[in-house]
Amino acid sequence: MAHGPGLPVELRTRLLGVAGALALWRGDYASAVSLFEEALLLFRALGDDWNVGFVLTGLGLTVTFRGELAEGRRLLEESLAVYRVLNDAFGIGLGLLDLGEVAWYAGDLVEARALLKQALAPLRCAGDVYQLVEALINLGGLELGVGEIARAAELAREGLALLRESGLRFYLPEALELAAGVAARQGETERAARLFGAAESARET
């Protein structure tokens, strides 16, 4: 990233973090790591602990997506530790959510369920609908997979209610698919088919 000579260091550091997040979103992992690492050094020097946690999260996700699961987990655990010290509900919830998804990706479904369960309370406290719905849907899928149908149904209902109240649509197809899976396991074939069709329609819009 070009270093603007007139940019205050705090602003340039934040821009580096944002640029790293955009590179991660695009799948440009090499650039994301470079940008996040530079931002991390500067945020540490500035004593900006919240953004240290943010950048550690970005780095952890990036290296995880590159297949470096152990290093990804280490970085995400470091980020979570930062947010625990700050007593930041959003950061704690996000850290637990991300660690749960990494555990799921690694095939450790027991740990994934435990971490996602822990993520719900701080995310509810933080009021972050986007991340909370993601946690509800992912946990619901795991619960459905181990036969906890009633619990999966509760999680699906909560996720769909939050989406309706907030107007968010990003996770609507996944929430509807979870509800369809619950209906199918409950023997409600017609309802499952309707929900699955609604999920497909939501994905296309």
Side-chain angles (χ1 to χ4, degrees), residues 2-186:
H3 294 176
L7 286 179
V9 65
E10 294 89 347
L11 176 58
R12 184 167 71 81
T13 306
R14 290 178 184 275
L15 290 174
L16 284 166
V18 171
L22 290 173
L24 171 58
W25 182 263
R26 293 194 308 267
D28 184 357
Y29 301 142
S31 294
V33 167
S34 176
L35 291 161
F36 280 139
E37 286 179 342
E38 185 176 357
L40 181 59
L41 289 172
L42 291 169
F43 278 130
R44 288 194 194 280
L46 290 168
D48 188 339
D49 290 339
W50 196 93
N51 276 303
V52 166
F54 167 79
V55 173
L56 285 168
T57 295
L59 270 174
L61 293 174
T62 303
V63 300
T64 296
F65 294 154
R66 291 201 310 193
E68 302 168 35
L69 300 187
E71 178 63 5
R73 176 170 180 154
R74 185 192 69 77
L75 289 162
L76 291 170
E77 287 175 342
E78 186 178 350
S79 173
L80 177 58
V82 169
Y83 286 126
R84 286 197 189 281
V85 171
L86 295 173
N87 196 29
D88 186 279
F90 171 76
I92 293 168
L94 180 62
L96 291 165
L97 169 60
D98 288 336
L99 283 166
E101 291 178 346
V102 170
W104 192 354
Y105 187 62
D108 190 342
L109 303 187
V110 173
E111 183 178 17
R113 284 179 71 207
L115 288 164
L116 290 171
K117 286 177 183 178
Q118 293 175 54
L120 296 182
L123 289 174
R124 288 187 180 114
C125 180
D128 188 280
V129 174
Y130 181 91
Q131 303 294 348
L132 176 55
V133 170
E134 181 179 350
L136 289 166
I137 293 169
N138 287 341
L139 180 57
L142 287 170
E143 297 287 24
L144 188 61
V146 297
E148 294 289 343
I149 300 171
R151 180 59 177 147
E154 291 175 6
L155 295 164
R157 282 195 297 270
E158 183 178 355
L160 285 168
L162 285 168
L163 289 170
R164 282 195 299 270
E165 292 165 7
S166 66
L168 289 176
R169 294 185 57 84
F170 191 83
Y171 285 116
L172 182 58
E174 291 80 4
L176 289 166
E177 281 186 353
L178 174 60
V182 169
R185 293 291 296 274
Q186 292 173 329

